Amino acid sequence: MKLVRHGDVGDEKPGLIDAEGGLRDLSGILRDISGAALATTSLERLRAIDPETLPLLPAETRLGPCVGGTRNFIAIGLNYTDHAAEIGADIPAEPIVFNKAPSCISGPNDRVILPKGSAKTDWEVELAIVIGARASYVHANEALSYVAGLCLCNDVSEREFQMERGGTWTKGKGCPTFGPLGPWLVTLDEIPDPSALDLWLDVNGERMQSGSTSTMIFGVAQIVAYLSHFMMLEPGDVITTGTPPGVGMARKPPRFLKSGDVVTLGITGLGEQRQEIVAFDDWTAKVAAGEPTH
């Protein structure tokens, strides 16, 4: 299944994508794509529904982040061999773990706001894991049973905040709008091999990133099992798993996002995103004028 959340910011409702690509409303059946709705038994009930019986929504309906109620947004750094090589980093012996603020989560096609004082905002196309069941001390061979599905993530990053301001990476990772998720939460039955997915990202139509999950150092099951030994993973938690080569900071000379840029990205079977980049002052002016902020 391809599950979605649709509607205005902060008031998203559940839905799914039918076989013809139509957006169907699930709000008469389900409260949200979150919490207990992500359990295996709940997903099986949804899978049994005939999408043709659900209301069809207009194609232009806004899509929100594909999972709601996320309390923990975890990220893995330097998880692609070819990305580590491009920045001259050693292959990590264990996953590098940091957090993105859940408040940074946004819809797949919402604007990305450059923070105040930002000079080095960068892009990162990533595969993200959505947890479906509470996981603690699980083994890799059972880890996928705790996963509700996978989705596309842009791990937007302010490199100066992240790397030049001391402390942890988190400061450059959790600014508002720095976590677009979706368009879809895709259940694992539609993804035969998470280690064989192509990823890409363009800026203003120019290809910047092109890679494959086949070069991930730690795979989906390994990451879930590893994290479960350090924290309790809860339904709705999101884990974004690292990026392939082609980030702006690794280019020669480095290239970073500026107001007016348009970023598009995608992963095989998980859909595509599109984000317009907006400077903080321009965004606040839009808010003051009563314009839509997404």
Side-chain angles (χ1 to χ4, degrees), residues 94-119:
E94 296 188 36
I96 296 172
V97 180
F98 59 93
N99 277 85
K100 290 176 73 74
S103 58
C104 82
I105 293 173
S106 59
N109 303 312
D110 293 348
R111 295 185 178 106
V112 167
I113 303 162
L114 298 175
K116 271 188 177 183
S118 170

Side-chain angles (χ1 to χ4, degrees), residues 274-293:
R274 180 188 185 278
Q275 293 117 27
E276 176 189 352
I277 310 302
V278 181
F280 182 85
D281 289 344
D282 293 341
W283 178 77
T284 54
K286 291 178 186 291
V287 172
E291 296 182 27
T293 56

Side-chain angles (χ1 to χ4, degrees), residues 3-6 12 32-35 38 64-73 102 105-106 108 128-132 148-149 151 179 181-185 234-239:
L3 300 173
V4 299
R5 298 171 71 246
H6 61 88
E12 288 92 352
D32 199 0
I33 307 295
S34 64
L38 298 168
C66 59
V67 59
T70 298
R71 296 192 297 174
N72 200 0
F73 192 179
I105 293 173
S106 59
I129 304 163
V130 177
I131 297 297
C151 68
L181 295 178
W184 316 314
L185 167 57
E234 300 276 5
D237 285 354
V238 175
I239 308 163

Side-chain angles (χ1 to χ4, degrees), residues 24-36:
R24 300 282 177 166
D25 182 35
L26 275 170
S27 60
I29 295 170
L30 195 65
R31 191 169 189 175
D32 199 0
I33 307 295
S34 64

Side-chain angles (χ1 to χ4, degrees), residues 263-277:
V263 178
T264 52
L265 57 149
I267 299 179
T268 305
L270 301 184
E272 300 182 7
Q273 298 183 357
R274 180 188 185 278
Q275 293 117 27
E276 176 189 352
I277 310 302

